[in-house]
Amino acid sequence: MQSRKFLKLEQTVFSWETSGLMAGVDEAGRGPLAGPVVAAAVILDDLNPIKGLADSKKLSALRREKLYDEIQAKALCCSIALATVEEIDALNILQATLLAMKRAVEGLRLKPNKVLVDGNRLPTLVMVAEAIVKGDALVPAISAASILAKVYRDRWCAEFHLEYPQYGFAGHKGYGTAKHLAALREHGACPQHRRSFAPVAEVLR
């Protein structure tokens, strides 16, 4: 009788370890002084592998663009979501990032059994999730998510540059470079600058 109970418990634990779909999640845009923070979630197709997946920061812009299209074409499904500048200023950048991640996972057409997230913090999700430090270099699905998020946000910056060319968003992508800080001092903040970030707040005083 005891052995049967033990066997049943073993089977329960094993099933929790999970088979099924796995999604990788990553973000882009936590550090910049302007623009949304973008998150992506990707479920890769094991039968349709993608070569060259890596941390998006280690890839050239051209390589990221090519992989972006390949991921969109070959993944079982993927989702890109964001948190706005207004949400970043209201919640803080960490909570806004977790919100964007949650939206990305919830936007997947297929629902994963498990979610692997780059970093050391997890959004609130209904399925099993695990945070993996440097996961964008270790887990292909997270690498794919990092590429989607980075390319999407870079494209957003290029488009926003057309509206506010004086800030140079196409070049610095919103980060606090010397050129960007000089433009902030000269022109003040635009609607997409994060008021809760110190260099922007200083300009508004």
Side-chain angles (χ1 to χ4, degrees):
M1 191 73 165
Q2 288 181 345
S3 62
R4 287 178 185 172
K5 286 183 179 180
F6 180 73
L7 178 59
K8 185 176 181 181
L9 178 61
E10 273 197 325
Q11 289 172 338
T12 302
V13 172
F14 178 76
S15 67
W16 184 251
E17 280 306 316
T18 97
S19 46
L21 298 175
M22 187 276 291
V25 177
D26 202 0
E27 55 74 28
R30 284 186 65 172
L33 307 180
V37 60
V38 177
V42 179
I43 300 176
L44 293 175
D45 184 354
D46 291 339
L47 301 179
N48 204 6
I50 301 170
K51 293 182 180 180
L53 291 175
D55 175 2
S56 63
K57 297 183 290 295
K58 302 289 178 65
L59 301 170
S60 68
L62 179 60
R63 183 63 181 145
R64 285 195 300 265
E65 287 282 347
K66 290 182 177 179
L67 282 169
Y68 181 95
D69 293 337
E70 189 173 359
I71 293 163
Q72 295 273 13
K74 290 184 175 181
L76 286 178
C77 65
C78 49
S79 169
I80 299 173
L82 54 81
T84 66
V85 168
E86 291 77 15
E87 288 171 325
I88 292 168
D89 287 339
L91 299 173
N92 76 44
I93 185 59
L94 173 59
Q95 293 306 316
T97 299
L98 296 177
L99 176 60
M101 289 178 167
K102 177 180 173 69
R103 287 170 174 166
V105 173
E106 291 176 346
L108 288 167
R109 177 177 54 83
L110 302 173
K111 298 307 174 187
N113 294 65
K114 185 173 185 178
V115 175
L116 303 181
V117 179
D118 182 60
N120 58 8
R121 299 293 293 270
L122 290 171
T124 302
L125 299 170
V126 297
M127 66 283 291
V128 177
E130 180 181 353
I132 300 179
V133 176
K134 297 184 179 179
D136 51 3
L138 300 172
V139 180
I142 298 179
S143 300
S146 77
I147 292 165
L148 292 191
K150 171 67 173 166
V151 171
Y152 184 95
R153 192 177 191 284
D154 284 357
R155 290 178 179 179
W156 182 94
C157 287
E159 290 182 10
F160 193 67
H161 176 85
L162 300 177
E163 189 173 355
Y164 290 92
Q166 64 270 34
Y167 295 99
F169 284 103
H172 55 62
K173 306 299 190 294
Y175 285 92
T177 63
K179 180 179 179 180
H180 190 183
L181 294 175
L184 259 176
R185 290 189 292 269
E186 181 178 354
H187 303 291
C190 77
Q192 284 295 328
H193 276 106
R194 300 172 180 177
R195 268 63 179 168
S196 56
F197 279 43
V200 180
E202 289 173 5
V203 170
L204 298 174
R205 286 176 186 169

